[in-house]
Amino acid sequence: MRKISVILGNVGACSDRYCPAYADPFTVEQMFERVASIDTVRGVEFVGNWHITKESAPQIRELLEKYKLQAVSIIPDHFGEMKWKFGAFTNKDAGIRREAIAVTKDMIDAARLIGCPTISLWPGQDGYDYYFQADYMQERTWFEEGVAACCGYAPDMKISIEYKPKEPRNRSYPSNVYSTLLMVKEIGCDNCGVTIDYGHATVAYENVAESVAVLKKYGDKLFHLHMNDNYCMWDDDMIAGTIHTIPYLELFYWLKKTGYSNWISTDQYPYREDGRDAVNETVAWMNAFMDAVDAMDSEEVEAIIHKGNACEASAFLRKAIFGKK
């Protein structure tokens, strides 16, 4: 089964710093209905406090059952409240750091109530903006200690760190696949891994297929995926595959080659498009990429990779995409 899921808010209404609302808001149940209407989607992901709390978990469980969807991941809100403005796990205030751990534990409790296997941490406020503002060594230590405490609280659950080079902070600590993997190794917990967000990785100037391979090689640490697209300058959260078509094809080849079997979520901000329709397009693109990879002769692909001949690779891709040499 293709394990495709949608972050619930992707099918809702968006806002930004210029426009407070690009569409009328939807209720949580309306968003569930919109997700369930997308073919091949079997899972749903939540942002803590936005879509789920410990108190609302029983109602969310009922909606999951009603719409025949599986809970995939919860992203604790470490970024959307004023108290986090100077960081969550890396805040210079020890009380705020303890609260970041407590918020994560609350979402772990909620996850258990709805049968959700993964907590995906996006520490968007953990970083710095100016020179001479941060203790780069100490704050990384605080981050590692905080995540380790969460991992120890839930050894039966995946705790996955999502990296991003910038935004909302000008510099983020888990900024690319390598810095994040290094911290995961330092944390040293079997249930600690990495979430790749396609757009975050491309802003970090990564080839995402290579990032998948790196996480496979060094400990099998790819726990979760978020799919979107952008022009490499900002996290535009566009329809997946519309910009990086060939890189996406290679990504799905390496996901298959490395035996990735966890969930793949959409993560988009369709400001001007209808959210349900934009997410539907990402899902359709992902299925098309997976179909194309399944149709490839793996021995031929591996022979091309082994030779490293760029012209042969180019001809192969043209045939794979357009059906002609």
Side-chain angles (χ1 to χ4, degrees):
M1 183 186 77
R2 293 179 178 180
K3 297 169 72 173
I4 298 175
S5 57
V6 172
I7 295 179
L8 191 62
N10 289 180
V11 298
C14 295
S15 62
D16 61 22
R17 61 178 176 158
Y18 302 103
C19 182
Y22 281 93
D24 293 330
F26 296 88
T27 66
V28 168
E29 180 158 9
Q30 286 173 329
M31 288 190 285
F32 261 93
E33 185 176 7
R34 283 160 70 82
V35 169
S37 72
I38 302 172
D39 190 38
T40 74
V41 169
R42 299 292 179 266
V44 63
E45 185 169 356
F46 306 96
V47 177
N49 293 336
W50 297 16
H51 311 129
I52 187 171
T53 63
K54 265 177 46 171
E55 293 71 29
S56 70
Q59 290 74 41
I60 295 297
R61 187 174 59 230
E62 290 175 2
L63 290 170
L64 288 164
E65 292 171 357
K66 178 178 178 179
Y67 290 98
K68 297 179 173 55
L69 293 167
Q70 296 179 53
V72 169
S73 171
I74 298 177
I75 305 165
D77 181 8
H78 291 132
F79 43 84
E81 296 184 59
M82 184 171 62
K83 63 186 175 185
W84 309 122
K85 67 180 180 179
F86 293 121
F89 292 107
T90 65
N91 199 296
K92 289 176 169 61
D93 184 331
I96 297 294
R97 297 200 302 274
R98 287 193 294 270
E99 190 166 353
I101 296 170
V103 164
T104 307
K105 289 180 177 179
D106 280 348
M107 290 301 99
I108 289 169
D109 293 342
R112 287 188 171 126
L113 289 170
I114 62 172
C116 178
T118 302
I119 297 294
S120 190
L121 302 173
W122 177 54
Q125 303 287 2
D126 283 309
Y128 59 97
D129 302 308
Y130 292 92
Y131 300 117
F132 289 93
Q133 186 180 30
D135 186 329
Y136 310 124
M137 295 173 67
Q138 178 64 74
E139 288 166 24
R140 279 181 169 80
T141 299
W142 284 336
F143 183 85
E144 291 156 3
E145 290 172 346
V147 175
C150 299
C151 291
Y153 183 72
D156 57 324
M157 190 170 293
K158 289 184 173 73
I159 308 295
S160 194
I161 303 169
E162 179 179 349
Y163 60 90
K164 188 178 184 181
K166 61 182 179 179
E167 193 203 16
R169 300 309 292 264
N170 290 324
R171 302 268 185 169
S172 299
Y173 282 129
S175 57
N176 58 46
V177 69
Y178 305 105
S179 66
T180 311
L181 180 59
L182 184 62
M183 288 194 285
V184 166
K185 293 287 190 180
E186 190 70 16
I187 291 164
C189 298
D190 290 342
N191 62 327
C192 186
V194 179
T195 295
I196 291 180
D197 179 293
Y198 193 93
H200 298 182
T202 56
V203 172
Y205 202 63
E206 293 176 20
N207 171 11
V208 188
E210 182 185 5
S211 302
V212 167
V214 164
L215 292 176
K216 181 66 176 181
K217 176 174 172 58
Y218 298 105
D220 202 12
K221 287 297 185 179
L222 179 57
F223 283 5
H224 194 44
L225 282 162
H226 286 163
M227 296 302 197
N228 49 64
D229 218 331
N230 62 43
Y231 289 103
C232 297
M233 295 179 289
W234 202 259
D235 185 30
D236 301 309
D237 279 332
M238 299 164 69
I239 296 167
T242 53
I243 309 299
H244 288 87
T245 308
I246 289 177
Y248 251 113
L249 192 60
E250 189 191 32
L251 166 63
F252 275 96
Y253 180 79
W254 275 88
L255 288 173
K256 183 176 181 179
K257 177 174 178 173
T258 57
Y260 181 78
S261 60
N262 298 322
W263 288 86
I264 303 174
S265 282
T266 68
D267 187 354
Q268 296 170 242
Y269 266 71
Y271 295 106
R272 295 161 189 84
E273 299 75 35
D274 178 85
R276 184 264 171 210
D277 294 345
V279 169
N280 182 68
E281 278 300 304
T282 283
V283 171
W285 272 101
M286 289 196 292
N287 278 308
F289 288 130
M290 286 185 270
D291 289 343
V293 167
D294 286 343
M296 289 179 180
D297 182 333
S298 59
E299 290 185 3
E300 181 183 4
V301 178
E302 289 302 309
I304 289 170
I305 292 172
H306 180 73
K307 289 174 67 176
N309 186 307
C311 296
E312 287 188 22
S314 174
F316 172 82
L317 286 168
R318 188 166 58 253
K319 182 179 178 182
I321 296 171
F322 300 109
K324 56 185 178 181
K325 293 184 179 180

